[in-house]
């Protein structure tokens, strides 16, 4: 009889996804209920409308997925066009990219986005296997400074300039 119970739950990992969706939806709805309208609110819709809609959609998706799993629905394994599902995960590349993201989070206030962003882009490219270091540095600098000026000058969204604050 224990095998029947195990067979029933075999492949039901979608219930974990449903639980995560439900938790995110509940958090969104609770947070939306605590929002108050402020001076930035314009028009008939308040500031809680979008978080409430997202929360309702997340809860609805969680319920639909749960019903589907209990009715016997199972997700198909991703075939992947360029992924060998039998090969082990590339843990060195994963940890290197995670380290680069963590370094960016730590250094962004001190160095500023233009420099920490360039390190992020360059480090990610190297971690994922690129060996054209000079080209990658040039592209990383172009992307980080370009995105900095796009955000700061065009969209008027503040990004930290860090050690370049007097220059930029």
């Amino acid at each position: 009889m224990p095998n029947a119970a195990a067979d029933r739950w075999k492949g039901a990992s979608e219930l974990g996804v449903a639980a995560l969706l439900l938790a995110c939806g509940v958090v969104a709805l609770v947070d939306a209920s605590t929002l108050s309208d402020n001076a930035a609110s314009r028009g008939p819709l308040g500031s809680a409308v979008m978080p409430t809609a997202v929360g309702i959609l997340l809860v609805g998706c969680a319920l639909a997925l749960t019903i589907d799993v209990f009715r016997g629905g199972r997700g198909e394994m991703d075939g992947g066009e360029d992924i060998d599902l039998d090969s082990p995960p590339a843990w060195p590349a994963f940890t290197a990219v995670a380290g680069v993201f963590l370094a960016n989070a730590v250094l962004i206030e001190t160095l500023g986005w233009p420099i920490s962003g360039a390190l992020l882009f360059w480090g990610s490219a190297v971690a994922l296997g690129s060996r054209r270091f000079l080209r990658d540095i040039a592209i990383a600098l172009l992307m980080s400074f370009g995105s900095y000026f796009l955000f700061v000058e065009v969209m008027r969204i503040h990004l930290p300039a860090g050690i370049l604050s007097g220059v930029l």
Side-chain angles (χ1 to χ4, degrees), residues 79 82-88:
D82 59 348
I83 301 171
D84 182 11
L85 295 175
D86 296 326
S87 66

Side-chain angles (χ1 to χ4, degrees), residues 2-159:
N3 289 340
D7 287 342
R8 179 178 176 190
W9 294 105
K10 183 179 180 184
S13 61
E14 290 92 349
L15 289 175
V17 175
L20 181 63
L21 286 171
L22 180 65
C24 289
V26 169
V27 167
L29 289 172
V30 168
D31 281 350
S33 70
T34 64
L35 292 176
S36 61
D37 289 335
N38 57 23
S41 297
R42 298 245 190 313
L45 302 178
S47 58
V49 171
M50 282 308 292
T52 301
V54 169
I56 290 170
L57 289 172
L58 285 169
V59 169
C61 286
L63 294 176
L65 180 58
T66 303
I67 291 168
D68 181 55
V69 170
F70 282 124
R71 287 185 175 174
R74 298 288 181 260
E76 293 182 26
M77 187 156 193
D78 185 17
E81 295 177 14
D82 59 348
I83 301 171
D84 182 11
L85 295 175
D86 296 326
S87 66
W91 288 112
F94 174 79
T95 54
V97 170
V100 169
F101 272 94
L102 181 62
N104 181 53
V106 170
L107 297 173
I108 192 167
E109 287 295 326
T110 307
L111 297 180
W113 170 253
I115 295 175
S116 71
L119 291 173
L120 171 70
F121 297 140
W122 179 77
S124 297
V126 170
L128 294 174
S130 178
R131 294 297 171 246
R132 298 181 177 177
F133 299 117
L134 292 178
R135 183 200 66 174
D136 294 339
I137 290 172
I139 292 172
L141 287 169
L142 182 69
M143 287 176 57
S144 65
F145 277 88
S147 61
Y148 176 81
F149 287 116
L150 176 71
F151 275 83
V152 172
E153 299 299 328
V154 177
M155 295 189 292
R156 302 282 184 219
I157 297 173
H158 172 73
L159 290 178

